Amino acid sequence: MTADPAVDEAIALVEEQFGVMFNRIRTVWKQSAEQVHPDLQPAGYKLLSSIVRLGPTNAHVLAEHLEMDKSVVSRQVRVLEEVGLVTSRPDERDGRLRVLAATPEAEERIRAVRDANQARLRDALRDHPAEDLRRFADLLRVISEA
């Protein structure tokens, strides 16, 4: 609780909207995963999207980056390899590790899904002043770092 009841009420509203937003995000991840491949789970989509964004990487880096259990990452990577969206090769520096890379098809599919998601976000926010959007991004960063 703060000294200002109005601030407490506003924070409660923010928390409520985060709940709504997180539910929507889960739905978008599920739909995005299905658009990339019908056998892909949301966790697999998040992994594949990260591989596309980060470039070739390994499962350990992905698990840390996404704060996911290593066993979940391993299972999802196996699915991504089986459906032809990710390739793996031994790491030249450490043969115990595998370097994961998105296939060109995966990169194309992720790009198409991202473009559609970003268009939806642009439609929702385009009428707001750039300074408001920057402040909103700053507030999100503050919350993410809390």
mmCIF file with all atom_site columns, all heavy atoms in Angstrom, residues 22-36 40-46 49 66 113 117 120:
data_model
loop_
_atom_site.group_PDB
_atom_site.id
_atom_site.type_symbol
_atom_site.label_atom_id
_atom_site.label_alt_id
_atom_site.label_comp_id
_atom_site.label_asym_id
_atom_site.label_entity_id
_atom_site.label_seq_id
_atom_site.pdbx_PDB_ins_code
_atom_site.Cartn_x
_atom_site.Cartn_y
_atom_site.Cartn_z
_atom_site.occupancy
_atom_site.B_iso_or_equiv
_atom_site.pdbx_formal_charge
_atom_site.auth_seq_id
_atom_site.auth_comp_id
_atom_site.auth_asym_id
_atom_site.auth_atom_id
_atom_site.pdbx_PDB_model_num
ATOM 1   N N   . PHE A 1 22  ? -2.154 -10.865 -20.323 1.00 0.00 ? 22  PHE A N   1
ATOM 2   C CA  . PHE A 1 22  ? -1.476 -12.152 -20.312 1.00 0.00 ? 22  PHE A CA  1
ATOM 3   C C   . PHE A 1 22  ? -2.370 -13.244 -20.898 1.00 0.00 ? 22  PHE A C   1
ATOM 4   O O   . PHE A 1 22  ? -1.890 -14.126 -21.625 1.00 0.00 ? 22  PHE A O   1
ATOM 5   C CB  . PHE A 1 22  ? -1.019 -12.535 -18.906 1.00 0.00 ? 22  PHE A CB  1
ATOM 6   C CG  . PHE A 1 22  ? 0.107  -11.691 -18.390 1.00 0.00 ? 22  PHE A CG  1
ATOM 7   C CD1 . PHE A 1 22  ? 0.196  -11.406 -17.043 1.00 0.00 ? 22  PHE A CD1 1
ATOM 8   C CD2 . PHE A 1 22  ? 1.069  -11.157 -19.232 1.00 0.00 ? 22  PHE A CD2 1
ATOM 9   C CE1 . PHE A 1 22  ? 1.231  -10.620 -16.547 1.00 0.00 ? 22  PHE A CE1 1
ATOM 10  C CE2 . PHE A 1 22  ? 2.112  -10.376 -18.750 1.00 0.00 ? 22  PHE A CE2 1
ATOM 11  C CZ  . PHE A 1 22  ? 2.186  -10.109 -17.404 1.00 0.00 ? 22  PHE A CZ  1
ATOM 12  N N   . ASN A 1 23  ? -3.647 -13.206 -20.597 1.00 0.00 ? 23  ASN A N   1
ATOM 13  C CA  . ASN A 1 23  ? -4.566 -14.178 -21.200 1.00 0.00 ? 23  ASN A CA  1
ATOM 14  C C   . ASN A 1 23  ? -4.587 -14.018 -22.714 1.00 0.00 ? 23  ASN A C   1
ATOM 15  O O   . ASN A 1 23  ? -4.583 -15.007 -23.451 1.00 0.00 ? 23  ASN A O   1
ATOM 16  C CB  . ASN A 1 23  ? -5.971 -14.025 -20.628 1.00 0.00 ? 23  ASN A CB  1
ATOM 17  C CG  . ASN A 1 23  ? -6.075 -14.530 -19.218 1.00 0.00 ? 23  ASN A CG  1
ATOM 18  O OD1 . ASN A 1 23  ? -5.320 -15.401 -18.797 1.00 0.00 ? 23  ASN A OD1 1
ATOM 19  N ND2 . ASN A 1 23  ? -7.004 -13.983 -18.457 1.00 0.00 ? 23  ASN A ND2 1
ATOM 20  N N   . ARG A 1 24  ? -4.629 -12.789 -23.174 1.00 0.00 ? 24  ARG A N   1
ATOM 21  C CA  . ARG A 1 24  ? -4.630 -12.524 -24.619 1.00 0.00 ? 24  ARG A CA  1
ATOM 22  C C   . ARG A 1 24  ? -3.321 -12.978 -25.257 1.00 0.00 ? 24  ARG A C   1
ATOM 23  O O   . ARG A 1 24  ? -3.312 -13.550 -26.340 1.00 0.00 ? 24  ARG A O   1
ATOM 24  C CB  . ARG A 1 24  ? -4.876 -11.038 -24.880 1.00 0.00 ? 24  ARG A CB  1
ATOM 25  C CG  . ARG A 1 24  ? -4.856 -10.661 -26.321 1.00 0.00 ? 24  ARG A CG  1
ATOM 26  C CD  . ARG A 1 24  ? -6.069 -11.241 -27.058 1.00 0.00 ? 24  ARG A CD  1
ATOM 27  N NE  . ARG A 1 24  ? -5.979 -10.866 -28.448 1.00 0.00 ? 24  ARG A NE  1
ATOM 28  C CZ  . ARG A 1 24  ? -6.130 -11.708 -29.453 1.00 0.00 ? 24  ARG A CZ  1
ATOM 29  N NH1 . ARG A 1 24  ? -6.437 -12.969 -29.227 1.00 0.00 ? 24  ARG A NH1 1
ATOM 30  N NH2 . ARG A 1 24  ? -6.006 -11.300 -30.680 1.00 0.00 ? 24  ARG A NH2 1
ATOM 31  N N   . ILE A 1 25  ? -2.214 -12.734 -24.584 1.00 0.00 ? 25  ILE A N   1
ATOM 32  C CA  . ILE A 1 25  ? -0.908 -13.148 -25.101 1.00 0.00 ? 25  ILE A CA  1
ATOM 33  C C   . ILE A 1 25  ? -0.849 -14.664 -25.243 1.00 0.00 ? 25  ILE A C   1
ATOM 34  O O   . ILE A 1 25  ? -0.363 -15.183 -26.255 1.00 0.00 ? 25  ILE A O   1
ATOM 35  C CB  . ILE A 1 25  ? 0.230  -12.627 -24.206 1.00 0.00 ? 25  ILE A CB  1
ATOM 36  C CG1 . ILE A 1 25  ? 0.374  -11.113 -24.387 1.00 0.00 ? 25  ILE A CG1 1
ATOM 37  C CG2 . ILE A 1 25  ? 1.550  -13.332 -24.500 1.00 0.00 ? 25  ILE A CG2 1
ATOM 38  C CD1 . ILE A 1 25  ? 1.281  -10.449 -23.372 1.00 0.00 ? 25  ILE A CD1 1
ATOM 39  N N   . ARG A 1 26  ? -1.356 -15.392 -24.256 1.00 0.00 ? 26  ARG A N   1
ATOM 40  C CA  . ARG A 1 26  ? -1.365 -16.857 -24.353 1.00 0.00 ? 26  ARG A CA  1
ATOM 41  C C   . ARG A 1 26  ? -2.168 -17.310 -25.570 1.00 0.00 ? 26  ARG A C   1
ATOM 42  O O   . ARG A 1 26  ? -1.760 -18.223 -26.285 1.00 0.00 ? 26  ARG A O   1
ATOM 43  C CB  . ARG A 1 26  ? -1.922 -17.472 -23.066 1.00 0.00 ? 26  ARG A CB  1
ATOM 44  C CG  . ARG A 1 26  ? -0.893 -17.572 -21.963 1.00 0.00 ? 26  ARG A CG  1
ATOM 45  C CD  . ARG A 1 26  ? -1.385 -18.464 -20.814 1.00 0.00 ? 26  ARG A CD  1
ATOM 46  N NE  . ARG A 1 26  ? -2.453 -17.868 -20.037 1.00 0.00 ? 26  ARG A NE  1
ATOM 47  C CZ  . ARG A 1 26  ? -2.272 -17.039 -19.029 1.00 0.00 ? 26  ARG A CZ  1
ATOM 48  N NH1 . ARG A 1 26  ? -1.064 -16.683 -18.664 1.00 0.00 ? 26  ARG A NH1 1
ATOM 49  N NH2 . ARG A 1 26  ? -3.292 -16.554 -18.369 1.00 0.00 ? 26  ARG A NH2 1
ATOM 50  N N   . THR A 1 27  ? -3.292 -16.645 -25.817 1.00 0.00 ? 27  THR A N   1
ATOM 51  C CA  . THR A 1 27  ? -4.103 -16.978 -26.989 1.00 0.00 ? 27  THR A CA  1
ATOM 52  C C   . THR A 1 27  ? -3.343 -16.670 -28.282 1.00 0.00 ? 27  THR A C   1
ATOM 53  O O   . THR A 1 27  ? -3.339 -17.483 -29.211 1.00 0.00 ? 27  THR A O   1
ATOM 54  C CB  . THR A 1 27  ? -5.439 -16.200 -26.960 1.00 0.00 ? 27  THR A CB  1
ATOM 55  O OG1 . THR A 1 27  ? -6.150 -16.572 -25.778 1.00 0.00 ? 27  THR A OG1 1
ATOM 56  C CG2 . THR A 1 27  ? -6.276 -16.481 -28.185 1.00 0.00 ? 27  THR A CG2 1
ATOM 57  N N   . VAL A 1 28  ? -2.688 -15.528 -28.326 1.00 0.00 ? 28  VAL A N   1
ATOM 58  C CA  . VAL A 1 28  ? -1.918 -15.150 -29.522 1.00 0.00 ? 28  VAL A CA  1
ATOM 59  C C   . VAL A 1 28  ? -0.776 -16.130 -29.740 1.00 0.00 ? 28  VAL A C   1
ATOM 60  O O   . VAL A 1 28  ? -0.511 -16.540 -30.878 1.00 0.00 ? 28  VAL A O   1
ATOM 61  C CB  . VAL A 1 28  ? -1.416 -13.697 -29.417 1.00 0.00 ? 28  VAL A CB  1
ATOM 62  C CG1 . VAL A 1 28  ? -0.382 -13.383 -30.485 1.00 0.00 ? 28  VAL A CG1 1
ATOM 63  C CG2 . VAL A 1 28  ? -2.585 -12.728 -29.508 1.00 0.00 ? 28  VAL A CG2 1
ATOM 64  N N   . TRP A 1 29  ? -0.076 -16.541 -28.678 1.00 0.00 ? 29  TRP A N   1
ATOM 65  C CA  . TRP A 1 29  ? 1.005  -17.516 -28.829 1.00 0.00 ? 29  TRP A CA  1
ATOM 66  C C   . TRP A 1 29  ? 0.476  -18.842 -29.366 1.00 0.00 ? 29  TRP A C   1
ATOM 67  O O   . TRP A 1 29  ? 1.095  -19.459 -30.233 1.00 0.00 ? 29  TRP A O   1
ATOM 68  C CB  . TRP A 1 29  ? 1.713  -17.756 -27.508 1.00 0.00 ? 29  TRP A CB  1
ATOM 69  C CG  . TRP A 1 29  ? 2.728  -16.709 -27.145 1.00 0.00 ? 29  TRP A CG  1
ATOM 70  C CD1 . TRP A 1 29  ? 3.360  -15.827 -27.986 1.00 0.00 ? 29  TRP A CD1 1
ATOM 71  C CD2 . TRP A 1 29  ? 3.229  -16.431 -25.855 1.00 0.00 ? 29  TRP A CD2 1
ATOM 72  N NE1 . TRP A 1 29  ? 4.212  -15.025 -27.284 1.00 0.00 ? 29  TRP A NE1 1
ATOM 73  C CE2 . TRP A 1 29  ? 4.157  -15.367 -25.976 1.00 0.00 ? 29  TRP A CE2 1
ATOM 74  C CE3 . TRP A 1 29  ? 2.984  -16.979 -24.606 1.00 0.00 ? 29  TRP A CE3 1
ATOM 75  C CZ2 . TRP A 1 29  ? 4.846  -14.855 -24.884 1.00 0.00 ? 29  TRP A CZ2 1
ATOM 76  C CZ3 . TRP A 1 29  ? 3.661  -16.451 -23.519 1.00 0.00 ? 29  TRP A CZ3 1
ATOM 77  C CH2 . TRP A 1 29  ? 4.590  -15.412 -23.657 1.00 0.00 ? 29  TRP A CH2 1
ATOM 78  N N   . LYS A 1 30  ? -0.666 -19.269 -28.872 1.00 0.00 ? 30  LYS A N   1
ATOM 79  C CA  . LYS A 1 30  ? -1.259 -20.521 -29.344 1.00 0.00 ? 30  LYS A CA  1
ATOM 80  C C   . LYS A 1 30  ? -1.613 -20.402 -30.824 1.00 0.00 ? 30  LYS A C   1
ATOM 81  O O   . LYS A 1 30  ? -1.293 -21.291 -31.623 1.00 0.00 ? 30  LYS A O   1
ATOM 82  C CB  . LYS A 1 30  ? -2.498 -20.861 -28.510 1.00 0.00 ? 30  LYS A CB  1
ATOM 83  C CG  . LYS A 1 30  ? -3.141 -22.183 -28.868 1.00 0.00 ? 30  LYS A CG  1
ATOM 84  C CD  . LYS A 1 30  ? -4.305 -22.473 -27.923 1.00 0.00 ? 30  LYS A CD  1
ATOM 85  C CE  . LYS A 1 30  ? -4.915 -23.825 -28.123 1.00 0.00 ? 30  LYS A CE  1
ATOM 86  N NZ  . LYS A 1 30  ? -5.519 -24.039 -29.412 1.00 0.00 ? 30  LYS A NZ  1
ATOM 87  N N   . GLN A 1 31  ? -2.261 -19.322 -31.212 1.00 0.00 ? 31  GLN A N   1
ATOM 88  C CA  . GLN A 1 31  ? -2.625 -19.116 -32.614 1.00 0.00 ? 31  GLN A CA  1
ATOM 89  C C   . GLN A 1 31  ? -1.377 -18.986 -33.489 1.00 0.00 ? 31  GLN A C   1
ATOM 90  O O   . GLN A 1 31  ? -1.331 -19.526 -34.599 1.00 0.00 ? 31  GLN A O   1
ATOM 91  C CB  . GLN A 1 31  ? -3.492 -17.866 -32.765 1.00 0.00 ? 31  GLN A CB  1
ATOM 92  C CG  . GLN A 1 31  ? -4.859 -17.999 -32.145 1.00 0.00 ? 31  GLN A CG  1
ATOM 93  C CD  . GLN A 1 31  ? -5.593 -16.660 -32.045 1.00 0.00 ? 31  GLN A CD  1
ATOM 94  O OE1 . GLN A 1 31  ? -5.004 -15.592 -32.155 1.00 0.00 ? 31  GLN A OE1 1
ATOM 95  N NE2 . GLN A 1 31  ? -6.901 -16.744 -31.837 1.00 0.00 ? 31  GLN A NE2 1
ATOM 96  N N   . SER A 1 32  ? -0.379 -18.284 -32.990 1.00 0.00 ? 32  SER A N   1
ATOM 97  C CA  . SER A 1 32  ? 0.862  -18.107 -33.746 1.00 0.00 ? 32  SER A CA  1
ATOM 98  C C   . SER A 1 32  ? 1.554  -19.447 -33.959 1.00 0.00 ? 32  SER A C   1
ATOM 99  O O   . SER A 1 32  ? 2.032  -19.736 -35.067 1.00 0.00 ? 32  SER A O   1
ATOM 100 C CB  . SER A 1 32  ? 1.795  -17.145 -33.014 1.00 0.00 ? 32  SER A CB  1
ATOM 101 O OG  . SER A 1 32  ? 1.223  -15.862 -32.922 1.00 0.00 ? 32  SER A OG  1
ATOM 102 N N   . ALA A 1 33  ? 1.600  -20.264 -32.917 1.00 0.00 ? 33  ALA A N   1
ATOM 103 C CA  . ALA A 1 33  ? 2.210  -21.582 -33.029 1.00 0.00 ? 33  ALA A CA  1
ATOM 104 C C   . ALA A 1 33  ? 1.490  -22.410 -34.090 1.00 0.00 ? 33  ALA A C   1
ATOM 105 O O   . ALA A 1 33  ? 2.132  -23.038 -34.949 1.00 0.00 ? 33  ALA A O   1
ATOM 106 C CB  . ALA A 1 33  ? 2.172  -22.299 -31.679 1.00 0.00 ? 33  ALA A CB  1
ATOM 107 N N   . GLU A 1 34  ? 0.171  -22.401 -34.074 1.00 0.00 ? 34  GLU A N   1
ATOM 108 C CA  . GLU A 1 34  ? -0.616 -23.162 -35.052 1.00 0.00 ? 34  GLU A CA  1
ATOM 109 C C   . GLU A 1 34  ? -0.387 -22.660 -36.473 1.00 0.00 ? 34  GLU A C   1
ATOM 110 O O   . GLU A 1 34  ? -0.406 -23.452 -37.423 1.00 0.00 ? 34  GLU A O   1
ATOM 111 C CB  . GLU A 1 34  ? -2.096 -23.096 -34.700 1.00 0.00 ? 34  GLU A CB  1
ATOM 112 C CG  . GLU A 1 34  ? -2.450 -23.856 -33.438 1.00 0.00 ? 34  GLU A CG  1
ATOM 113 C CD  . GLU A 1 34  ? -3.854 -23.578 -32.922 1.00 0.00 ? 34  GLU A CD  1
ATOM 114 O OE1 . GLU A 1 34  ? -4.544 -22.683 -33.458 1.00 0.00 ? 34  GLU A OE1 1
ATOM 115 O OE2 . GLU A 1 34  ? -4.257 -24.242 -31.948 1.00 0.00 ? 34  GLU A OE2 1
ATOM 116 N N   . GLN A 1 35  ? -0.177 -21.357 -36.631 1.00 0.00 ? 35  GLN A N   1
ATOM 117 C CA  . GLN A 1 35  ? 0.080  -20.800 -37.961 1.00 0.00 ? 35  GLN A CA  1
ATOM 118 C C   . GLN A 1 35  ? 1.442  -21.240 -38.494 1.00 0.00 ? 35  GLN A C   1
ATOM 119 O O   . GLN A 1 35  ? 1.605  -21.418 -39.700 1.00 0.00 ? 35  GLN A O   1
ATOM 120 C CB  . GLN A 1 35  ? 0.005  -19.276 -37.928 1.00 0.00 ? 35  GLN A CB  1
ATOM 121 C CG  . GLN A 1 35  ? -1.392 -18.746 -37.718 1.00 0.00 ? 35  GLN A CG  1
ATOM 122 C CD  . GLN A 1 35  ? -1.402 -17.247 -37.470 1.00 0.00 ? 35  GLN A CD  1
ATOM 123 O OE1 . GLN A 1 35  ? -0.466 -16.539 -37.813 1.00 0.00 ? 35  GLN A OE1 1
ATOM 124 N NE2 . GLN A 1 35  ? -2.456 -16.760 -36.842 1.00 0.00 ? 35  GLN A NE2 1
ATOM 125 N N   . VAL A 1 36  ? 2.409  -21.406 -37.606 1.00 0.00 ? 36  VAL A N   1
ATOM 126 C CA  . VAL A 1 36  ? 3.739  -21.838 -38.033 1.00 0.00 ? 36  VAL A CA  1
ATOM 127 C C   . VAL A 1 36  ? 3.722  -23.321 -38.385 1.00 0.00 ? 36  VAL A C   1
ATOM 128 O O   . VAL A 1 36  ? 4.238  -23.726 -39.420 1.00 0.00 ? 36  VAL A O   1
ATOM 129 C CB  . VAL A 1 36  ? 4.789  -21.531 -36.946 1.00 0.00 ? 36  VAL A CB  1
ATOM 130 C CG1 . VAL A 1 36  ? 6.132  -22.170 -37.282 1.00 0.00 ? 36  VAL A CG1 1
ATOM 131 C CG2 . VAL A 1 36  ? 4.952  -20.023 -36.785 1.00 0.00 ? 36  VAL A CG2 1
ATOM 132 N N   . LEU A 1 40  ? 2.940  -27.540 -33.477 1.00 0.00 ? 40  LEU A N   1
ATOM 133 C CA  . LEU A 1 40  ? 3.758  -26.692 -32.613 1.00 0.00 ? 40  LEU A CA  1
ATOM 134 C C   . LEU A 1 40  ? 2.952  -26.190 -31.420 1.00 0.00 ? 40  LEU A C   1
ATOM 135 O O   . LEU A 1 40  ? 1.836  -25.707 -31.563 1.00 0.00 ? 40  LEU A O   1
ATOM 136 C CB  . LEU A 1 40  ? 4.291  -25.504 -33.430 1.00 0.00 ? 40  LEU A CB  1
ATOM 137 C CG  . LEU A 1 40  ? 5.447  -24.715 -32.853 1.00 0.00 ? 40  LEU A CG  1
ATOM 138 C CD1 . LEU A 1 40  ? 6.651  -25.603 -32.591 1.00 0.00 ? 40  LEU A CD1 1
ATOM 139 C CD2 . LEU A 1 40  ? 5.822  -23.595 -33.819 1.00 0.00 ? 40  LEU A CD2 1
ATOM 140 N N   . GLN A 1 41  ? 3.546  -26.307 -30.233 1.00 0.00 ? 41  GLN A N   1
ATOM 141 C CA  . GLN A 1 41  ? 2.952  -25.801 -29.000 1.00 0.00 ? 41  GLN A CA  1
ATOM 142 C C   . GLN A 1 41  ? 3.426  -24.361 -28.784 1.00 0.00 ? 41  GLN A C   1
ATOM 143 O O   . GLN A 1 41  ? 4.449  -23.950 -29.334 1.00 0.00 ? 41  GLN A O   1
ATOM 144 C CB  . GLN A 1 41  ? 3.393  -26.665 -27.814 1.00 0.00 ? 41  GLN A CB  1
ATOM 145 C CG  . GLN A 1 41  ? 2.928  -28.096 -27.901 1.00 0.00 ? 41  GLN A CG  1
ATOM 146 C CD  . GLN A 1 41  ? 1.426  -28.210 -27.784 1.00 0.00 ? 41  GLN A CD  1
ATOM 147 O OE1 . GLN A 1 41  ? 0.809  -27.592 -26.931 1.00 0.00 ? 41  GLN A OE1 1
ATOM 148 N NE2 . GLN A 1 41  ? 0.825  -28.978 -28.675 1.00 0.00 ? 41  GLN A NE2 1
ATOM 149 N N   . PRO A 1 42  ? 2.718  -23.582 -27.951 1.00 0.00 ? 42  PRO A N   1
ATOM 150 C CA  . PRO A 1 42  ? 3.166  -22.215 -27.671 1.00 0.00 ? 42  PRO A CA  1
ATOM 151 C C   . PRO A 1 42  ? 4.620  -22.143 -27.184 1.00 0.00 ? 42  PRO A C   1
ATOM 152 O O   . PRO A 1 42  ? 5.361  -21.247 -27.584 1.00 0.00 ? 42  PRO A O   1
ATOM 153 C CB  . PRO A 1 42  ? 2.185  -21.723 -26.612 1.00 0.00 ? 42  PRO A CB  1
ATOM 154 C CG  . PRO A 1 42  ? 0.923  -22.472 -26.924 1.00 0.00 ? 42  PRO A CG  1
ATOM 155 C CD  . PRO A 1 42  ? 1.399  -23.846 -27.348 1.00 0.00 ? 42  PRO A CD  1
ATOM 156 N N   . ALA A 1 43  ? 5.040  -23.077 -26.344 1.00 0.00 ? 43  ALA A N   1
ATOM 157 C CA  . ALA A 1 43  ? 6.439  -23.074 -25.874 1.00 0.00 ? 43  ALA A CA  1
ATOM 158 C C   . ALA A 1 43  ? 7.395  -23.271 -27.047 1.00 0.00 ? 43  ALA A C   1
ATOM 159 O O   . ALA A 1 43  ? 8.462  -22.641 -27.106 1.00 0.00 ? 43  ALA A O   1
ATOM 160 C CB  . ALA A 1 43  ? 6.656  -24.148 -24.816 1.00 0.00 ? 43  ALA A CB  1
ATOM 161 N N   . GLY A 1 44  ? 7.029  -24.122 -27.979 1.00 0.00 ? 44  GLY A N   1
ATOM 162 C CA  . GLY A 1 44  ? 7.852  -24.330 -29.170 1.00 0.00 ? 44  GLY A CA  1
ATOM 163 C C   . GLY A 1 44  ? 7.906  -23.090 -30.034 1.00 0.00 ? 44  GLY A C   1
ATOM 164 O O   . GLY A 1 44  ? 8.954  -22.760 -30.603 1.00 0.00 ? 44  GLY A O   1
ATOM 165 N N   . TYR A 1 45  ? 6.783  -22.385 -30.118 1.00 0.00 ? 45  TYR A N   1
ATOM 166 C CA  . TYR A 1 45  ? 6.757  -21.141 -30.877 1.00 0.00 ? 45  TYR A CA  1
ATOM 167 C C   . TYR A 1 45  ? 7.698  -20.114 -30.241 1.00 0.00 ? 45  TYR A C   1
ATOM 168 O O   . TYR A 1 45  ? 8.464  -19.442 -30.937 1.00 0.00 ? 45  TYR A O   1
ATOM 169 C CB  . TYR A 1 45  ? 5.335  -20.574 -30.957 1.00 0.00 ? 45  TYR A CB  1
ATOM 170 C CG  . TYR A 1 45  ? 5.302  -19.193 -31.555 1.00 0.00 ? 45  TYR A CG  1
ATOM 171 C CD1 . TYR A 1 45  ? 5.412  -19.011 -32.924 1.00 0.00 ? 45  TYR A CD1 1
ATOM 172 C CD2 . TYR A 1 45  ? 5.216  -18.071 -30.746 1.00 0.00 ? 45  TYR A CD2 1
ATOM 173 C CE1 . TYR A 1 45  ? 5.428  -17.745 -33.477 1.00 0.00 ? 45  TYR A CE1 1
ATOM 174 C CE2 . TYR A 1 45  ? 5.222  -16.796 -31.285 1.00 0.00 ? 45  TYR A CE2 1
ATOM 175 C CZ  . TYR A 1 45  ? 5.332  -16.638 -32.653 1.00 0.00 ? 45  TYR A CZ  1
ATOM 176 O OH  . TYR A 1 45  ? 5.356  -15.383 -33.193 1.00 0.00 ? 45  TYR A OH  1
ATOM 177 N N   . LYS A 1 46  ? 7.642  -19.995 -28.912 1.00 0.00 ? 46  LYS A N   1
ATOM 178 C CA  . LYS A 1 46  ? 8.516  -19.042 -28.233 1.00 0.00 ? 46  LYS A CA  1
ATOM 179 C C   . LYS A 1 46  ? 9.986  -19.396 -28.468 1.00 0.00 ? 46  LYS A C   1
ATOM 180 O O   . LYS A 1 46  ? 10.818 -18.516 -28.708 1.00 0.00 ? 46  LYS A O   1
ATOM 181 C CB  . LYS A 1 46  ? 8.209  -18.990 -26.732 1.00 0.00 ? 46  LYS A CB  1
ATOM 182 C CG  . LYS A 1 46  ? 6.866  -18.347 -26.437 1.00 0.00 ? 46  LYS A CG  1
ATOM 183 C CD  . LYS A 1 46  ? 6.591  -18.064 -24.986 1.00 0.00 ? 46  LYS A CD  1
ATOM 184 C CE  . LYS A 1 46  ? 6.964  -19.098 -24.005 1.00 0.00 ? 46  LYS A CE  1
ATOM 185 N NZ  . LYS A 1 46  ? 6.472  -18.829 -22.640 1.00 0.00 ? 46  LYS A NZ  1
ATOM 186 N N   . SER A 1 49  ? 10.806 -18.666 -32.223 1.00 0.00 ? 49  SER A N   1
ATOM 187 C CA  . SER A 1 49  ? 10.859 -17.218 -32.403 1.00 0.00 ? 49  SER A CA  1
ATOM 188 C C   . SER A 1 49  ? 12.165 -16.662 -31.843 1.00 0.00 ? 49  SER A C   1
ATOM 189 O O   . SER A 1 49  ? 12.793 -15.782 -32.453 1.00 0.00 ? 49  SER A O   1
ATOM 190 C CB  . SER A 1 49  ? 9.645  -16.590 -31.708 1.00 0.00 ? 49  SER A CB  1
ATOM 191 O OG  . SER A 1 49  ? 9.646  -15.204 -31.879 1.00 0.00 ? 49  SER A OG  1
ATOM 192 N N   . LEU A 1 66  ? 14.696 -17.548 -21.898 1.00 0.00 ? 66  LEU A N   1
ATOM 193 C CA  . LEU A 1 66  ? 13.246 -17.628 -21.747 1.00 0.00 ? 66  LEU A CA  1
ATOM 194 C C   . LEU A 1 66  ? 12.810 -18.052 -20.348 1.00 0.00 ? 66  LEU A C   1
ATOM 195 O O   . LEU A 1 66  ? 11.610 -18.170 -20.081 1.00 0.00 ? 66  LEU A O   1
ATOM 196 C CB  . LEU A 1 66  ? 12.667 -18.595 -22.783 1.00 0.00 ? 66  LEU A CB  1
ATOM 197 C CG  . LEU A 1 66  ? 12.847 -18.156 -24.232 1.00 0.00 ? 66  LEU A CG  1
ATOM 198 C CD1 . LEU A 1 66  ? 12.457 -19.282 -25.179 1.00 0.00 ? 66  LEU A CD1 1
ATOM 199 C CD2 . LEU A 1 66  ? 12.029 -16.910 -24.521 1.00 0.00 ? 66  LEU A CD2 1
ATOM 200 N N   . VAL A 1 113 ? 4.131  -14.410 -39.252 1.00 0.00 ? 113 VAL A N   1
ATOM 201 C CA  . VAL A 1 113 ? 3.338  -14.313 -38.017 1.00 0.00 ? 113 VAL A CA  1
ATOM 202 C C   . VAL A 1 113 ? 3.661  -13.020 -37.285 1.00 0.00 ? 113 VAL A C   1
ATOM 203 O O   . VAL A 1 113 ? 2.761  -12.306 -36.831 1.00 0.00 ? 113 VAL A O   1
ATOM 204 C CB  . VAL A 1 113 ? 3.571  -15.547 -37.111 1.00 0.00 ? 113 VAL A CB  1
ATOM 205 C CG1 . VAL A 1 113 ? 2.983  -15.338 -35.732 1.00 0.00 ? 113 VAL A CG1 1
ATOM 206 C CG2 . VAL A 1 113 ? 2.987  -16.796 -37.764 1.00 0.00 ? 113 VAL A CG2 1
ATOM 207 N N   . ASN A 1 117 ? 1.183  -9.925  -36.267 1.00 0.00 ? 117 ASN A N   1
ATOM 208 C CA  . ASN A 1 117 ? 1.047  -9.487  -34.874 1.00 0.00 ? 117 ASN A CA  1
ATOM 209 C C   . ASN A 1 117 ? 1.432  -8.019  -34.718 1.00 0.00 ? 117 ASN A C   1
ATOM 210 O O   . ASN A 1 117 ? 0.770  -7.268  -33.987 1.00 0.00 ? 117 ASN A O   1
ATOM 211 C CB  . ASN A 1 117 ? 1.890  -10.365 -33.946 1.00 0.00 ? 117 ASN A CB  1
ATOM 212 C CG  . ASN A 1 117 ? 1.330  -11.762 -33.799 1.00 0.00 ? 117 ASN A CG  1
ATOM 213 O OD1 . ASN A 1 117 ? 0.160  -12.016 -34.077 1.00 0.00 ? 117 ASN A OD1 1
ATOM 214 N ND2 . ASN A 1 117 ? 2.166  -12.687 -33.370 1.00 0.00 ? 117 ASN A ND2 1
ATOM 215 N N   . ARG A 1 120 ? -1.304 -5.743  -36.001 1.00 0.00 ? 120 ARG A N   1
ATOM 216 C CA  . ARG A 1 120 ? -2.393 -5.626  -35.019 1.00 0.00 ? 120 ARG A CA  1
ATOM 217 C C   . ARG A 1 120 ? -2.020 -4.623  -33.924 1.00 0.00 ? 120 ARG A C   1
ATOM 218 O O   . ARG A 1 120 ? -2.831 -3.790  -33.529 1.00 0.00 ? 120 ARG A O   1
ATOM 219 C CB  . ARG A 1 120 ? -2.701 -7.010  -34.439 1.00 0.00 ? 120 ARG A CB  1
ATOM 220 C CG  . ARG A 1 120 ? -3.973 -7.068  -33.644 1.00 0.00 ? 120 ARG A CG  1
ATOM 221 C CD  . ARG A 1 120 ? -4.423 -8.480  -33.285 1.00 0.00 ? 120 ARG A CD  1
ATOM 222 N NE  . ARG A 1 120 ? -3.381 -9.383  -32.853 1.00 0.00 ? 120 ARG A NE  1
ATOM 223 C CZ  . ARG A 1 120 ? -3.024 -10.494 -33.503 1.00 0.00 ? 120 ARG A CZ  1
ATOM 224 N NH1 . ARG A 1 120 ? -3.622 -10.842 -34.612 1.00 0.00 ? 120 ARG A NH1 1
ATOM 225 N NH2 . ARG A 1 120 ? -2.067 -11.274 -33.035 1.00 0.00 ? 120 ARG A NH2 1
#
